[in-house]
Amino acid sequence: MNTAFQLAKGYKKWLENQMLEASHPLDIPVHHPDLPVIFTCAGLALELAFKILLATEGKMIFTHTIEEIYKKFTPETQKQVIDCMVGGNSQHLSSHRAEMLGKEYFRILKNKYDVRDLKYYNVGSKTKKGWWSSNNSRLLAEDMPRPYSLYEVDRLRKCLLSLAKEKKPPLPM
């Protein structure tokens, strides 16, 4: 996450310079070679947090897809993960609404942070839906909802790691 934040700060400065030089706001190019690397770093950090939490249940999975890791959790842990995603307020949500928020969250994570098929600096990778969006200018916005900002991804990562610390992992086999 530290690398993602450092690169995002450089991207933000670059974007601000582009805005100063642009004659019209729509002239600002949003493509930047650091964006795939920023999303990869954040995605890997989040993936590892999910896998650490899964390991506390004595399970492992060979995938980079965060939603697939989530599906391997016990129902109790799944509820705790949804609590992390919605900021600890899921008790006020119906189970259907919590499930819908979870699906939306996983969709955004897959579009922005799923690292399958990614090569550094986007060389040789497939075009990634969601990378070149207007939300990228708010990567460092602390008030951005869902996982649109790095702060939100980092908040979720820290919450998952906190859950993992609270659990008593099984003894090694």
Side-chain angles (χ1 to χ4, degrees), residues 14 41 51 54 60 69 90 103 111 132 136-137 141 165:
W14 173 83
C41 291
K51 286 182 174 179
L54 186 64
M60 59 185 289
I69 300 167
S90 72
K103 285 183 180 188
N111 287 344
W132 315 116
N136 291 343
S137 63
K165 283 181 183 178

Side-chain angles (χ1 to χ4, degrees), residues 20-81:
L20 290 174
E21 295 172 11
S23 58
H24 188 273
L26 296 177
D27 295 338
I28 301 167
V30 292
H31 297 275
H32 191 275
D34 282 349
L35 284 173
V37 183
I38 292 167
F39 293 128
T40 298
C41 291
L44 285 173
L46 193 58
E47 175 189 332
L48 289 173
F50 269 86
K51 286 182 174 179
I52 288 168
L53 184 57
L54 186 64
T56 66
E57 296 185 343
K59 302 174 190 172
M60 59 185 289
I61 188 171
F62 297 101
T63 184
H64 293 295
T65 306
I66 291 171
E67 188 173 12
E68 293 301 316
I69 300 167
Y70 169 82
K71 289 176 182 177
K72 292 290 249 177
F73 291 134
T74 63
E76 179 186 333
T77 302
Q78 286 180 350
K79 184 187 178 323
Q80 292 172 320
V81 170

Side-chain angles (χ1 to χ4, degrees), residues 8 11 35 38-39 135-141 148-151:
Y11 170 72
L35 284 173
I38 292 167
F39 293 128
N135 290 328
N136 291 343
S137 63
R138 301 199 55 204
L139 273 175
L140 292 171
Y148 290 116
S149 80
L150 292 180
Y151 289 106

